[in-house]
Amino acid sequence: MTVQELPGAAAYRPTPPPAWKPLTDPAPLLPDPEPYRVLGTDAVADADPELLLRLYAELVRGRRYNAQATALTKQGRLAVYPSSTGQEACEIAAALVLEERDWLFPSYRDTLAAVARGLDPVEALTLLRGDRHTGYDPREHRIAPLCTPLATQLPHAVGLAHAARLKGDDVVALAMVGDGGTSEGDFHEALNFAAVWRAPVVFLVQNNGFAISVPLAKQTAAPSLAHKAVGYGMPGRLVDGNDAAAVHQVLGEAVARARAGGGPTLVEAVTYRMDAHTNADDATRYRGESEVEAWRAHDPIQLLERELTARGLLGEDGIEEARAAAERMAAGLRERMNADAVLDPMDLFAHVYAEQTAQLREQAARLRVELDAEQGQDGTSGAGDGR
Amino acid sequence: MTTAAMAGEQTDRAKPATMAQALGRALRDSMAEDPTVHVLGEDVGTLGGVFRITDGLAKEFGEDRCTDTPLAEAGILGAAVGMAMYGLRPVVEMQFDAFAYPAFEQLISHVAKMRNRTGGAMPLPITVRVPYGGGIGGVEHHSDSSEAYYMATPGLHVVTPATVDDAYGLLRASIASDDPVVFLEPKRLYWSKSAWSPEAPVEVEPIGRAVVRRPGRSATLITYGPSLPVCLEAAEAAVEEGWDLEVVDLRSLVPFDDETVAASVRRTGRAVVVHESSGFGGPGGEIAARITERCFHHLEAPVLRVAGFDIPYPPPMLERHHLPGVDRVLDAVARLQWEAES
């Protein structure tokens, strides 16, 4: 490309000294123009049938989980639920691609990834139920708390992966973010840190088309979100986010690269949010039914089911079995979520500091008096009786 | 630690040191004692920090333990969160008060809350060092006193030393704390040494205790960080006027030492809170309210505040008019007498 010089510009514009040159050849970092696909292509020949069947079972279970959780919002059992229906392939692949020692950094929509990684389905919902924030020990499961602020968990993933490598541990962190989250400053800072530190991190952007109501075209002018990688000096990969085999393969390669010391990768999975942003959102205000229908024809479960059926790996029995397992999970979830949570209001003060300050002890005593008075009034021993 | 090193330090400590040196030594001693302590920030490595607090750490402990990061405060603190999640004890440098603002979301939404969010499962032992305050002739964005923002965030400890001994002891305690600490360094005291020579051995005080720096009977000056020398000077000057002023150095804004403050005010019956950050919505309002609630019947005058004006931090050629000096403190003390007589 030639740049037109202003008249006389050469006279004052200094030429960079010869030592200066770009550090990285951008070509290998650039994503392919089309999202990578496996299902329905020649690439499927290399896919492990056992993995495909496992992905299928998890996808069916995940879809059922989304439906059950959404139903629980209607019954008032959940304060809110951001469904990932339509995005299950990304969620499941993210969970299954990691080893037990690795860490997952989910965003608020990624409950399914946490559950597919082995988290108790009820513990994964405490935040959304409203009884406590994080209902599990992050260290025990190696799953960071579901993160509500956008992209702020990405630098955490970088720091953790960096720390693990400093300690000599063979640990990879996988951090999930949505298309809207890529506009946040923390996205930029995390990717930049990761690349400079060559941290063993994989960033998975689930581009589901909308940041609540704002479409991708109003979010970014980049050719694709995967293209952003090149500016940081890391590879960007574009993948069909509804193709579970493709997402698993691309993430698997990125994780392997990170584990081998090759540094971070940015993966953009192109997918679609079939439900509204949450149960509190009206998606008809910002998108038409025809668009939703077009994506329905590209459903992640159907894509995989077709492939497995065509290859004779899955029959009616297998489909029925997957559905029955999903039903059992849903029934268990329903039953346990319908039990009223037992909460101790005194826990409000329990985990602010390692040791309560004098001020908090005073406030706790005040609440104790209020609770005792309540108990005296209605004669019950309900909440507040924990200790 | 070897006996020789101990002896070396004793000798070292017998000489007057600056606050900057004491802070650097606290970092070094913490890193030597605990291999999980990591220092990170902009310019902390090769340069040793713009105030040279981290001088020599990268050389002594390697760049993995004292790391020059990209220039991005949210990234620095966010990475520190992840490092702490994996069991390290990061000490972050924010370089200047106003440069810490990009990291506010990380600080408020994650650093302060992780213990609470995880029901106690995941505390974050992070120390955030913030050089703060004015009086060094810095241009804009280099002289803010941002303590009120930090104080308003439950889950954070907010600590600020005013002496060389405390700079060492409180930084050691902050790094050892299992809770996140915002460690505010009064940058105009970085080079102070003559007034407070460190004595060996230096006691590491637990966070949260105020101390009476000068006993007195007629009124209490409550202050911290950069305003402590101002208050001590005012107390000396007030002797001529017949005032015997007690000076309380808070050292920790969160947790707040109600006991020491209330005990002093009950003795003296009069109180002035002195700090250089803006008065409206500032720490002085909170402190005055706490004193009033606890000591109302002992008070012989309203609790007064001497604070910076409610203006954006002024340009350096005008900052002396903004910063509360000895005269402004003495004027407040005089008003205490008027209240008492009226």
Side-chain angles (χ1 to χ4, degrees), chain A residues 258-280:
Chain A
R259 211 184 293 287
T265 304
L266 172 64
V267 177
E268 176 188 358
V270 182
T271 183
Y272 196 76
R273 159 161 62 71
M274 298 305 292
D275 292 337
H277 164 61
T278 68
N279 52 300

Side-chain angles (χ1 to χ4, degrees), chain A residues 133-134 137-139 145-147 149 152 155-156 159-160 163-164 166-167 169 171 186 189 192-193 351 353-354 357 359 362, chain B residues 64 72 74-76 78-79 82-83 85-86 105-106 110 115-117 119-121 155-157 179 254 256 258 290 294:
Chain A
H133 297 311
T134 305
D137 180 346
R139 282 206 184 90
L146 295 171
C147 189
T152 54
H156 306 171
L160 183 134
L166 290 181
K167 280 192 175 183
D169 295 347
V171 166
D186 280 41
E189 298 192 17
N192 192 46
F193 268 67
H351 305 296
Y353 297 100
T357 61
Q359 289 78 21
E362 227 171 78
Chain B
D64 283 346
I76 295 168
M83 291 165 75
M85 287 171 84
Y86 205 77
E105 187 182 16
Q106 284 293 341
H110 293 295
R115 173 188 288 279
N116 190 258
R117 291 169 74 207
L156 299 177
H157 290 303
D179 285 320
V254 182
F256 187 81
D258 282 302
R290 302 189 80 82
R294 282 165 184 266

Side-chain angles (χ1 to χ4, degrees), chain B residues 2-56:
Chain B
T2 63
T3 322
M6 285 280 276
E9 264 175 40
Q10 298 284 350
T11 326
D12 223 10
R13 288 224 178 92
K15 290 185 292 189
T18 63
M19 179 180 281
Q21 287 168 330
L23 291 166
R25 198 153 59 200
L27 289 170
R28 195 194 77 198
D29 291 355
S30 295
M31 291 174 87
E33 235 169 61
D34 181 352
T36 68
V37 176
H38 283 243
V39 168
L40 63 158
E42 166 78 3
D43 300 312
V44 298
T46 308
L47 184 66
V50 293
F51 293 108
R52 304 293 183 270
I53 308 295
T54 57
D55 196 19

Side-chain angles (χ1 to χ4, degrees), chain A residues 26-383:
Chain A
L29 307 180
L30 283 166
D32 290 334
E34 286 298 314
Y36 180 70
R37 294 188 64 181
V38 167
L39 300 178
T41 72
D42 293 342
V44 84
D46 299 330
D48 172 14
E50 217 168 287
L51 173 69
L52 294 183
L53 283 167
R54 174 133 190 251
L55 285 170
Y56 177 74
E58 289 288 346
L59 249 57
V60 172
R61 207 167 83 104
R63 172 74 46 97
R64 187 66 189 88
Y65 186 94
N66 276 327
Q68 185 57 61
T70 302
L72 286 165
T73 64
K74 295 185 177 125
Q75 295 156 24
R77 285 293 176 184
L78 283 179
V80 67
Y81 184 72
S83 164
S84 58
T85 293
Q87 302 177 221
E88 291 94 341
C90 304
E91 299 282 316
I92 304 303
L96 298 195
V97 82
L98 295 178
E99 301 289 338
E100 211 176 316
R101 62 186 178 279
D102 296 332
W103 274 74
L104 181 74
F105 286 79
S107 83
Y108 61 89
R109 197 183 298 285
D110 302 320
T111 320
L112 217 58
V115 173
R117 185 161 165 72
L119 188 63
D120 181 316
V122 172
E123 287 183 357
L125 284 176
T126 55
L127 173 77
L128 301 164
R129 177 156 73 175
D131 54 345
R132 49 177 59 84
H133 297 311
T134 305
Y136 54 90
D137 180 346
R139 282 206 184 90
E140 184 189 339
H141 300 278
R142 284 159 304 282
I143 302 171
L146 295 171
C147 189
T148 309
L150 295 185
T152 54
Q153 81 279 22
L154 305 184
H156 306 171
V158 177
L160 183 134
H162 176 65
R165 203 176 52 160
L166 290 181
K167 280 192 175 183
D169 295 347
D170 177 22
V171 166
V172 174
L174 191 156
M176 304 172 78
V177 67
D179 42 306
T182 65
S183 300
E184 294 278 3
D186 280 41
F187 173 83
H188 160 67
E189 298 192 17
L191 266 69
N192 192 46
F193 268 67
V196 170
W197 284 355
R198 281 179 88 81
V201 188
V202 176
F203 301 99
L204 171 61
V205 179
Q206 292 183 74
N207 170 8
N208 68 10
F210 294 90
I212 305 190
S213 69
V214 179
L216 189 70
K218 290 185 183 174
Q219 198 68 241
T220 179
S224 79
L225 298 172
H227 273 83
K228 291 181 182 244
V230 66
Y232 300 103
M234 73 173 78
R237 299 294 308 274
L238 193 57
V239 63
D240 182 339
N242 286 20
D243 180 335
V247 183
H248 190 277
Q249 189 189 321
V250 169
L251 286 179
E253 287 165 7
V255 166
R257 185 170 171 274
R259 211 184 293 287
T265 304
L266 172 64
V267 177
E268 176 188 358
V270 182
T271 183
Y272 196 76
R273 159 161 62 71
M274 298 305 292
D275 292 337
H277 164 61
T278 68
N279 52 300
D281 165 42
D282 175 9
T284 64
R285 292 176 72 102
Y286 53 86
R287 65 188 194 188
E289 187 51 31
S290 62
E291 180 183 305
V292 181
E293 275 311 307
W295 277 96
R296 217 181 292 284
H298 195 59
D299 180 83
I301 297 180
Q302 293 307 315
L303 286 180
L304 190 51
E305 200 174 287
R306 270 206 298 276
E307 185 73 52
L308 289 166
T309 311
R311 296 173 66 194
L313 294 167
L314 184 72
E316 275 307 314
D317 289 357
I319 294 173
E320 201 41 55
E321 199 182 306
R323 285 184 189 158
E327 270 320 311
R328 284 195 298 276
M329 179 277 302
L333 179 59
R334 220 168 29 238
E335 190 187 340
R336 289 173 63 204
M337 290 296 289
N338 277 325
D340 289 329
V342 180
L343 298 175
D344 182 357
M346 297 310 288
D347 277 348
L348 289 174
F349 300 99
H351 305 296
V352 184
Y353 297 100
E355 268 179 63
Q356 277 183 13
T357 61
Q359 289 78 21
L360 285 184
R361 280 198 300 274
E362 227 171 78
Q363 290 164 30
R366 200 177 313 154
L367 179 62
R368 178 82 266 169
V369 170
E370 286 174 16
L371 293 171
D372 288 347
E374 261 177 38
Q375 205 175 320
Q377 265 172 18
D378 59 18
T380 63
S381 63

